């Protein structure tokens, strides 16, 4: 069934349709290549490379809009028609106190002409609190989640930190839990983890990530029988401009 392959979508080394932080210019772009596209710990490309890119516009009043895209394979593996994921999002960022900020918004995952029933297209709303280097975020599905039937109300809770090691190096540990709602969908709930090391060379950012999950064997499986949530190393190269 489509649900076996379904959990998909956004983000570098782990997740990537995350809105970019406001920069000197309100309009920013990213383009990159990863050895495989993982989202919430699950491979979206059957452990094969992906091309990715996006654009963000940050308004002076705290609102932002953005779009991000990646090549994928899981829709066609599930007998659908899409080989691209497009994420459209918007929200608002604000400051509560020094070192404490928040981010709220909505995100639409679009898989053009995916042809799956239920459709893989997914709508989430999210809210995040950042305290110093640590961000706590919850994403709530207001539609079916990535093709799982009767899964509206699913949620993803994650904690991600970003530590500046100096000289452009950043270390980002991450842990999250995906809960898939709906009768019979419990087998698809799991916890994921990641540890990413990156270095910024004046806007060109190579990275290496250790990513894995505790997804039940047989829950997320490629047509060749490989477990899509198994532990692995992902390398990437991204340019910010």
């Amino acid at each position: 069934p489509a649900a076996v392959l379904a959990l998909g979508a956004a983000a570098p080394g782990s997740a990537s349709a995350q809105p970019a932080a406001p920069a000197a210019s309100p309009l920013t772009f990213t383009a990159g290549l990863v050895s495989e596209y993982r989202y919430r710990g699950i491979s979206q490309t059957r452990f094969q490379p992906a091309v990715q890119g996006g654009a963000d516009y940050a308004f002076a009043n705290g609102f932002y809009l953005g779009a991000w895209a990646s090549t994928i394979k899981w829709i066609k593996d599930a007998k659908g028609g899409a080989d691209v994921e497009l994420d459209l999002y918007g929200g608002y960022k604000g400051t509560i106190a020094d070192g404490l900020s928040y981010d709220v918004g909505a995100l639409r995952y679009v898989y053009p002409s995916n042809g799956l029933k239920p459709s893989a297209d997914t709508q989430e709303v999210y809210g995040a609190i950042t305290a110093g280097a640590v961000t706590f975020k919850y994403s709530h599905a207001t539609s079916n989640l990535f093709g799982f039937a009767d899964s509206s109300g699913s949620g993803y809770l994650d904690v991600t930190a970003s530590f500046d090691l100096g000289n452009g190096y950043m270390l980002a540990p991450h842990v999250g839990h995906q809960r898939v709602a709906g009768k019979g969908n419990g087998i698809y709930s799991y916890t994921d983890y990641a540890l990413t090391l990156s270095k910024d060379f004046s806007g060109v950012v190579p990275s290496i990530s250790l990513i894995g999950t505790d997804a039940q064997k047989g829950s997320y499986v490629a047509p060749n029988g490989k477990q899509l949530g198994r532990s692995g190393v992902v390398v990437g190269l991204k340019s910010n401009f």
Side-chain angles (χ1 to χ4, degrees), residues 32-229:
L33 177 68
V34 289
S35 59
E36 66 166 296
Y37 171 26
R38 293 265 186 149
Y39 184 64
R40 296 179 182 172
I42 304 296
S43 181
Q44 309 301 296
T45 53
R46 211 185 322 117
F47 308 110
Q48 296 180 21
V51 177
Q52 303 175 332
D56 292 270
Y57 191 91
F59 297 90
N61 59 6
F63 287 97
Y64 60 85
L65 294 172
W68 184 89
S70 177
T71 55
I72 58 170
K73 292 187 179 296
W74 72 269
I75 294 285
K76 288 192 171 179
D77 287 346
K79 310 303 181 184
D83 54 11
V84 173
E85 170 193 325
L86 174 62
D87 302 339
L88 305 172
Y89 53 88
Y92 179 83
K93 290 183 177 182
T95 299
I96 301 172
D98 187 30
L100 186 64
S101 61
Y102 65 92
D103 180 7
V104 293
L107 171 60
R108 177 74 177 175
Y109 306 86
V110 180
Y111 303 91
S113 303
N114 67 86
L116 300 182
K117 296 187 181 302
S119 172
D121 291 354
T122 299
Q123 177 75 42
E124 288 186 335
V125 293
Y126 56 83
I129 292 287
T130 297
V134 183
T135 297
F136 303 84
K137 182 177 180 180
Y138 177 69
S139 302
H140 187 82
T142 57
S143 67
N144 281 326
L145 183 76
F146 305 125
F148 289 103
D150 303 319
S151 58
S152 178
S154 297
Y156 183 70
L157 178 65
D158 70 282
V159 181
T160 301
S162 185
F163 298 111
D164 187 346
L165 304 181
N167 296 318
Y169 285 97
M170 299 292 294
L171 184 66
H174 159 90
V175 63
H177 181 74
Q178 177 68 65
R179 178 184 58 84
V180 183
K183 185 176 181 180
N185 288 337
I187 187 177
Y188 302 113
S189 297
Y190 66 93
T191 297
D192 72 288
Y193 58 85
L195 182 64
T196 300
L197 178 66
S198 63
K199 179 173 173 58
D200 189 342
F201 292 93
S202 300
V204 177
V205 185
S207 64
I208 183 168
S209 304
L210 172 64
I211 301 175
T213 75
D214 69 352
Q216 294 188 43
K217 187 175 181 178
S219 57
Y220 297 93
V221 184
N224 59 11
K226 292 183 178 180
Q227 306 297 312
L228 296 173

